[in-house]
Structures are given as C-alpha cells and as structure tokens.
Amino acid sequence: MDLKRIRYFVAVADARSFSRAAERLNIAQPPLSQRIHELEVEIGARLIDRAARPLRLTEVGQAFLEQARQILVRVDQLETSMRTMATAERPRLKLGAPPSAFPRGLPQTIRRYRELMPDGDFSLVELTSQEQADALKAGLIDVGIGRVRIDDPMIQREVLIEEPLVVALPWDHPLAGTTGTVPLASLVESRLALYPRDAKPSFGDHILSTLHDRGLAPTQIVEVADLQTALVLVAAGEAVSLVPDAVGLFSHSLVVFRSLTEPVSSPLILSARRETPSSALTAFLIAVGETLGATVAPPDSA
C-alpha cells in the first residue's frame, strides 16, 4: 500500500475538502482525487462520500483513517529513529583549544582531517588548558591542544612542538625600531600584558616562570582575558607581551613582532583521554602529525 496515498487520504479527511487538501499538499486537485480513487480500488471499498457537503467519510473510511494515522505515526518515528542512528554512527570529533594555541597549523590540520574523514562531524570549542582537562574527563571533547601542562592520571599528554616566543611591541616602542633581536632583560621595565586572567595555571604563569628562571621580574604586570585583548593593549602603546611566534600571522598594523635574543619557547601540547582512540581521533592525530611533521602516538587505555 502506497504511503503517499495514505497521507493524501488523511489530508482530505482532515480538510473535509479535496480543494483545501490539495492546497495544503501543494498539488493539483485532479491528481489528488485520482490517488484517493486508486486507494479505494486497492481496498475494495469507498472511503469518502463525495456527495456530502462537506465531505464525509464512510464507515470503512472512518475505520481506515484510525489505522492510517497509526501507520503514519509509526513511519515518522521510524524515519526519526533511523536518522538519529545514522547521525550517531557518523565519526565525531570535538577539539578544545584556546585562541592562541595553534594559529599556524590548526587550519591546515582541520582541512587535512576533513580529507581523511569527509563524512565526519567536527567542532572547535575555545577552552583553556585546565578547561580542556575537565572537558576531556567529562566526555565533552575528544582531544585538546594547549600550552600549559596539566597533570592528570586520566589524561595522556604529548608535546607536539616547542614554538619560539617573540615579543609584541607597540610600533613606536624604542625596541620596535631595532633590527636585531630583543633581550628579555630589556622588557622588565615595560608593562607586561599576560593572559588569560581567569585560568590557573595559565600561559601567563608560564611566561612569568620563564622570566624568573632567568632571574628577571617584570616591574609592571597587567592580566587580561585573552591574547586578543593583550594585543589591543600593545597596539594602544599600553603594554608589551610575549606571544607564540605564529601569532604574527594575525598581527595588528600597530604591533611589531621581534625575535628574542634568548631561545625561549612554549610547548604545544595535545591531550586526550586514556582510552582506545576512535576512528575520528585517529584521523585527527594523523592530520596533526602530517601538519607538524611529527609522529603523534595514539592514547593508551592504561
């Protein structure tokens, strides 16, 4: 029995009119009448009393309507269930990363992941390293990329690369006009913008630790919410900041980036739950490795 004919019959029964039903179904009335006639022939009984005004269902038609509604409900439930199952079977990957974590390689990595997993779903969630750890354990993300080492027995970490740090200076800062490298010691008298403010430990803590390891202590510090805010302060001439080298790809016209005399770097760390990786996560690890030219080991279940 044709489901389309059943749907047409229910529409006519609800509208009590062929013309109104045809309008709701967005079809012409003659084909609608023909489909109902074909259904009656198939059943072997009249379903609609066409002489009545408004149209009235026959006794058989009323009984058929009750069954037809149940059939259509079951069909709709089946379609919804199958769509849900099909979606659930699609590979899914949720990545957590702070805005400054991977500016150079992340777009290429996502593009490569799409090539490896064309039917997969991908979403990017902005999270600090600590937030990534919490989200991983809660199952809210599948993998995280950050710059702060978070020790947790449930999470496996791997340093992908050590990215050089550079100093972001206002364009009119005395050090901005230098052609050589900038010593870290020359920055301690400047106001230093650190970020993010609300996450502990943070990338800013890593910067302070790096300076303290070299016997340096900034005289003025301002903590801001994120990298973008730090660069705004730099562009406005209110501060300087230490940032990953790749941040220069998204530079502001009023900001100058200079290399540091000392080899100072920040780790780019991949984090994942200690469990057998999904096909989506495996594809992402391959994409990361190809983008960075590194071998990325899958997490274990130990």
Side-chain angles (χ1 to χ4, degrees):
M1 191 172 290
D2 191 337
L3 280 174
K4 181 176 289 188
R5 292 174 183 167
I6 295 176
R7 292 189 187 277
Y8 284 177
F9 168 74
V10 172
V12 173
D14 288 342
R16 289 293 193 270
S17 165
F18 277 96
S19 60
R20 286 197 295 271
E23 184 177 351
R24 292 174 185 176
L25 293 168
N26 196 29
I27 62 173
Q29 183 174 334
L32 175 60
S33 299
Q34 181 61 32
R35 299 294 86 76
I36 300 300
H37 174 69
E38 292 170 356
L39 182 61
E40 291 176 322
V41 170
E42 185 175 4
I43 293 173
R46 291 176 58 207
L47 300 175
I48 298 174
D49 182 358
R50 290 169 172 76
R53 292 291 182 273
L55 293 183
R56 199 168 52 235
L57 300 183
T58 66
E59 186 176 345
V60 175
Q62 189 62 49
F64 184 78
L65 177 63
E66 294 175 6
Q67 297 295 321
R69 292 194 192 281
Q70 294 179 29
I71 290 172
L72 294 180
V73 167
R74 292 192 187 102
V75 169
D76 290 342
Q77 290 174 341
L78 178 61
E79 291 177 347
T80 300
S81 176
M82 292 302 100
R83 282 196 297 268
T84 300
M85 288 182 64
T87 301
E89 290 177 355
R90 293 177 62 186
R92 293 173 177 270
L93 185 85
K94 288 188 177 181
L95 166 67
S100 64
F102 206 9
R104 185 187 300 277
L106 187 55
Q108 297 93 321
T109 297
I110 295 173
R111 285 180 178 273
R112 180 56 180 146
Y113 170 78
R114 287 294 193 189
E115 293 174 356
L116 296 172
M117 198 66 64
D119 296 327
D121 288 334
F122 175 86
S123 57
L124 175 63
V125 185
E126 292 189 21
L127 298 172
T128 65
S129 296
Q130 182 59 63
E131 290 170 339
Q132 289 174 32
D134 296 336
L136 281 168
K137 291 188 290 186
L140 301 178
I141 61 173
D142 303 295
V143 62
I145 293 179
R147 295 189 179 277
V148 179
R149 291 179 171 86
I150 303 296
D151 292 322
D152 192 296
M154 296 177 61
I155 297 173
Q156 182 167 316
R157 297 181 295 103
E158 182 166 354
V159 176
L160 299 173
I161 59 171
E162 288 282 348
E163 185 174 359
L165 296 181
V166 297
V167 58
L169 300 164
W171 70 273
D172 54 353
H173 191 281
L175 295 173
T178 61
T179 56
T181 58
V182 175
L184 278 173
S186 64
L187 303 175
V188 295
E189 298 302 324
S190 299
R191 191 183 189 199
L192 182 64
L194 300 177
Y195 61 91
R197 177 179 54 221
D198 300 327
K200 297 296 178 183
S202 69
F203 178 70
D205 294 325
H206 168 71
I207 295 297
L208 289 178
S209 177
T210 298
L211 293 175
H212 290 162
D213 287 347
R214 289 163 173 77
L216 302 174
T219 57
Q220 301 179 69
I221 292 175
V222 56
E223 291 186 284
V224 296
D226 50 38
L227 167 66
Q228 287 74 17
T229 305
L231 292 180
V232 168
L233 288 180
V234 174
E238 292 295 311
V240 302
S241 189
L242 292 173
V243 300
D245 176 62
V247 172
L249 294 174
F250 303 94
S251 63
H252 191 285
S253 60
L254 299 179
V255 177
V256 174
F257 296 92
R258 290 287 181 265
S259 298
L260 294 165
T261 303
E262 300 88 341
V264 180
S265 64
S266 168
L268 194 63
I269 303 170
L270 184 142
S271 302
R273 288 184 296 276
R274 290 188 178 275
E275 61 185 26
T276 302
S278 64
S279 59
L281 178 55
T282 299
F284 184 79
L285 297 180
I286 293 173
V288 170
E290 291 180 356
T291 300
L292 298 178
T295 300
V296 184
D300 55 50
S301 56

